[in-house]
Amino acid sequence: MKIVVLMKEVPDTYGERKLNLETGLAERSDSEAVLDEIGERALELALSLAGSLDSPEITVVSMTPESATTTLRKALAMGADKLVHIADEKLVGADLGLTAEVLAAAIRRTGFDLVIAGNLSTDGQGGVIPAMLAELLGVPHASSLTSVEVSAERVHGTRETDGGIMEVAAALPAVISITERFPAGRFPNFKGIMAAKKKPVEKLTAADLEVDPEALDVPRSIMLAVSERPARSAGMKIVDEGDAGEKLAEFLIQNRLA
Amino acid sequence: MTTFPEDSILVLLETTPSGTPARSAAGLLGAAAEVGTPVALIVAGPDGAADTAAAAGDLGAAYVLTAQPESVSSLLAVPTVDALAAAAGLVRPDAILISNSVDGRDAAGRFAARTRFALAVDAVGVGRDPEGIVAHHSVYGGAYSVDCAPTFGAPVITLREGAVDSRAEARTPQIESLDVPSSGIAAASIESFEARTVTSTRPELRGAVKVVAGGRGLTSQEQFALVDQLADVLGAAVGASRAAVDAGWVPNNYQIGQTGISVSPQLYVAIGVSGAIQHRAGMQTAKTIVAINKDPDAPIFEIADFGVVGDLFQVVPQLINSLSARKE
Ligand SMILES: Cc1cc2nc3c(=O)[nH]c(=O)nc-3n(C[C@H](O)[C@H](O)[C@H](O)COP(=O)(O)OP(=O)(O)OC[C@H]3O[C@@H](n4cnc5c(N)ncnc54)[C@H](O)[C@@H]3O)c2cc1C
Ligand SMILES: Nc1ncnc2c1ncn2[C@@H]1O[C@H](COP(=O)(O)O)[C@@H](O)[C@H]1O
């Protein structure tokens, strides 16, 4: 079974993340880049499924700048078999439509029975790429899963939305997206790190995938304006001396908040 | 055959299992009315579409298209997207607005990929300039405001629930039923569905005016009840940090933050929450922030208007007593 895991490199959310006020793009230099946590969970799921599947092959596909190679190697060290890295200057700042087009082409080229993605990446707003991919690939999409079972022909899972909880199923090939209720990714061990050095890494450009990032006949979403809001500052801080609850009640009442 | 106004905004309305417009409907129609003529699309099973259409009119829809694809309750997203495609072809809207919910994003993603319309997600508002519809976003936890628009064509925009306050005037909508040819695209099937039962009379977290959130400092599910009690005295919604959700004290949809819900209430009370940057990303645009934490260096204090360094098991019960006493 061919499993494709979609992973992204993102600015570390533990650091302060900045946008360039002219380009509206993330300032990569300002915060350390890491593998998106949800992508690691997706890979962890793939690794845990692999044991019960027939000749499993896990390929990590990522569209992210050239500089991400070292970060992405962690996925190979965790246990993925292969890495497909799409890095292209022309794809910097790609909108959702272009990103989906490129990823779909890369997934098709790699071949797949099951695509596992995160439900939501942590760099800005998202949560639509997996659905876009399913449409472009013409396959079912089971989204926001909190549990997953896979057999040779089918994927089954629990899907959680605001409205309720459903059991869903799809015939393979399919795209699934998982939530952060799945276990965190494992830490690569020494053996994994050594093995990773011999694993295949394929570098691709948009041209290799026959996608034209500059095509003018497709509408693209563009940034018109970016502005920074003033940071919030701390107000009053009291240490409880036995009456902080009372004082807080007073504060709330005075400010018409209670 | 109806001709739709030049400035039509197509709104995909979500419905509840009982067939009424979902909570997100008022904000979507409110936003649509600010920039054009709201045309609502209701994709639902065979019962109750007429009532839903009238209810959509109460929320400001000038036109309502009702679609009843057979498979809507057995297949994920695809029947809705087929209906959206048919509606967009008929209405030729200036923009398509969809709720930024899990279902909404699934529909928006597939629809945009199918039609190649430009997609903007998690907008907190919309505007119109001479070129067309613009989406306003609040990113990195409200640290930045970003405006986006398509190079050409109508944008598909998902709107953060609770972010738009403006409401459209009630109308008597013109109602039309929409024929939806099936695309036949493979979809996941829904084997069973259990609607979330609303067990409390507390306000909904999204769009709440007041929020009380609890974190790992509560130490157990039983103790988390303190958060509920304070919320009830204040008339607030209840939220939680990821640590509290991971511990299983509260359901997943209580999570506030980067990968949970973003809230912007008048009052936010954080109890036993450290204020990790990912948590702050979902609440730091609150008007007034109150924090109770025993660690004087907890990062939540950096953004709190009123911080109490103390044991929450002392401070919160006293606060509840004090507020209840004053209420009587
Ligand atoms: C990619 C990513 C996404 C994430 N998304 C989210 C998200 O959406 N939402 C989210 O919340 N987190 C998120 N996190 C997790 C986040 O980093 C923190 O781990 C989490 O917010 C911590 O929750 P907490 O504040 O409840 O727990 P802790 O950080 O453990 O804090 C508990 C606090 O309680 C205080 N405390 C303990 N006992 C008492 C007492 N008796 N009285 C008073 N105070 C007490 C302690 O001093 C401490 O400050 C994310 C992390 C990553 C990597
Ligand atoms: N550039 C990318 N490269 C690889 N995977 C991606 C990329 N963008 C999104 N994804 C996948 O889609 C999921 C949801 O992303 P998003 O729609 O950006 O929130 C992520 O968790 C990844 O699995």
Side-chain angles (χ1 to χ4, degrees):
Chain A
M1 163 140 1
K2 295 185 100 167
I3 302 179
V4 169
V5 176
L6 292 173
M7 294 180 92
K8 221 168 147 175
E9 188 201 49
V10 297
D12 191 351
T13 55
Y14 285 103
E16 195 186 344
R17 295 170 300 161
K18 294 213 147 154
L19 282 187
N20 182 304
L21 292 178
E22 250 137 56
T23 61
L25 300 177
E27 293 270 30
R28 294 216 157 236
S29 52
D30 272 354
S31 31
E32 209 183 318
V34 295
L35 281 182
D36 200 0
E37 191 199 60
I38 192 73
E40 292 189 3
R41 291 179 201 255
L43 176 55
E44 184 60 40
L45 169 62
L47 293 168
S48 72
L49 289 172
S52 60
L53 297 171
D54 198 28
S55 43
E57 185 194 49
I58 302 174
T59 305
V60 168
V61 172
S62 186
M63 176 185 123
T64 181
E66 186 70 39
S67 60
T69 317
T70 27
T71 319
L72 288 171
R73 283 205 161 269
K74 182 179 174 195
L76 295 176
M78 284 171 72
D81 300 303
K82 219 172 100 186
L83 172 65
V84 174
H85 181 183
I86 309 130
D88 192 329
E89 279 293 311
K90 288 187 181 153
L91 292 171
V92 174
D95 75 343
L96 292 163
L98 180 56
T99 303
E101 219 178 300
V102 168
L103 289 174
I107 294 167
R108 234 186 255 116
R109 188 175 192 269
T110 304
F112 70 102
D113 296 298
L114 180 66
V115 177
I116 309 180
N119 66 330
L120 201 68
S121 56
T122 45
D123 59 339
Q125 327 94 344
V128 286
I129 290 290
M132 297 179 91
L133 292 175
E135 184 74 23
L136 295 177
L137 297 167
V139 300
H141 175 37
S143 55
S144 285
L145 301 183
T146 55
S147 79
V148 170
E149 285 153 46
V150 179
S151 65
E153 294 91 30
R154 275 169 89 72
V155 54
H156 180 106
T158 308
R159 175 177 183 264
E160 236 186 279
T161 67
D162 264 1
I165 295 173
M166 50 174 76
E167 295 300 317
V168 295
L172 300 182
V175 174
I176 63 171
S177 71
I178 60 152
T179 77
E180 58 187 349
R181 301 282 91 85
F182 272 91
R186 64 191 64 183
F187 287 104
N189 58 21
F190 182 71
K191 216 174 118 207
I193 294 166
M194 293 314 287
K197 295 191 174 173
K198 297 198 199 79
K199 289 180 177 170
V201 175
E202 191 175 16
K203 283 273 176 70
L204 298 174
T205 62
D208 295 331
L209 294 167
E210 290 172 38
V211 175
D212 178 7
E214 285 152 347
L216 291 174
D217 57 345
V218 186
R220 298 287 176 215
S221 183
I222 51 169
M223 210 92 66
L224 299 180
V226 189
S227 59
E228 192 170 4
R229 293 231 194 113
R232 226 188 148 98
S233 55
M236 181 176 7
K237 184 158 97 181
I238 62 167
V239 177
D240 183 24
E241 289 168 346
D243 62 351
E246 304 274 353
K247 284 187 176 152
L248 182 47
E250 225 152 83
F251 169 84
L252 293 175
I253 287 162
Q254 258 170 23
N255 288 281
R256 296 169 181 277
L257 292 168
Chain B
M1 179 103 177
T2 319
T3 45
F4 293 89
E6 285 278 318
D7 68 347
S8 288
I9 306 291
L10 181 62
V11 174
L12 174 65
L13 283 198
E14 291 177 306
T15 51
T16 63
S18 60
T20 54
R23 280 187 327 264
S24 57
L28 285 168
L29 289 165
E34 281 185 335
V35 294
T37 306
V39 179
L41 169 63
I42 296 169
V43 189
D47 349 302
D51 296 348
T52 318
D58 292 342
L59 297 172
Y63 297 82
V64 176
L65 296 170
T66 57
Q68 296 169 317
E70 258 173 64
S71 50
V72 71
S73 52
S74 61
L75 294 179
L76 271 186
V78 170
T80 304
V81 176
D82 292 350
L84 266 173
L90 186 67
V91 177
R92 311 228 156 261
D94 280 350
I96 298 95
L97 299 187
I98 299 174
S99 172
N100 191 52
S101 59
V102 171
D103 287 327
R105 287 198 304 263
D106 280 0
R110 274 191 178 269
F111 175 68
R114 190 182 296 182
T115 57
R116 305 284 159 142
F117 286 150
L119 174 59
V121 294
D122 198 27
V124 294
V126 290
R128 188 188 271 275
D129 73 7
E131 258 72 57
I133 304 298
V134 177
H136 304 305
H137 302 271
S138 165
V139 310
Y140 290 169
Y144 295 88
S145 299
V146 176
D147 287 351
C148 290
T151 46
F152 62 92
V156 180
I157 300 171
T158 69
L159 206 59
R160 185 184 296 178
E161 195 185 325
V164 172
D165 291 329
S166 75
R167 294 291 177 261
E169 247 172 73
R171 330 255 290 238
T172 304
Q174 200 168 318
I175 303 170
E176 196 172 309
S177 82
L178 181 72
D179 230 5
V180 180
S182 163
S183 63
I185 290 175
S189 58
I190 302 169
E191 299 193 325
S192 67
F193 176 66
E194 203 181 307
R196 241 182 244 287
T197 42
V198 186
T199 45
S200 83
T201 50
R202 273 182 218 122
E204 204 31 66
L205 186 52
R206 289 176 206 272
V209 179
K210 295 177 191 173
V211 173
V212 181
R216 203 194 315 259
L218 271 306
T219 66
S220 72
Q221 181 160 16
E222 292 69 48
Q223 313 257 47
F224 199 91
L226 262 187
V227 175
D228 299 340
Q229 286 165 23
L230 178 59
D232 290 343
V233 180
L234 289 168
V238 174
S241 71
R242 186 167 88 175
V245 174
D246 280 344
W249 304 338
V250 290
N252 295 341
N253 62 339
Y254 278 43
Q255 183 172 322
I256 291 170
Q258 171 110 33
T259 42
I261 293 173
S262 290
V263 295
S264 254
Q266 293 295 313
L267 173 66
Y268 191 87
V269 184
I271 303 175
V273 173
S274 60
I277 200 152
Q278 299 93 349
H279 184 80
R280 286 161 57 169
M283 46 66 74
Q284 66 195 5
T285 54
K287 190 114 186 292
T288 300
I289 296 172
V290 169
I292 302 161
N293 196 304
K294 68 177 180 192
D295 173 8
D297 298 322
I300 192 76
F301 288 129
E302 291 163 22
I303 57 163
D305 300 283
F306 194 102
V308 176
V309 182
D311 183 353
L312 71 91
F313 297 112
Q314 305 290 324
V315 179
V316 178
Q318 190 181 69
L319 172 62
I320 293 170
N321 284 337
S322 179
L323 289 172
S324 331
R326 285 174 215 233
K327 264 198 182 155
E328 277 153 19

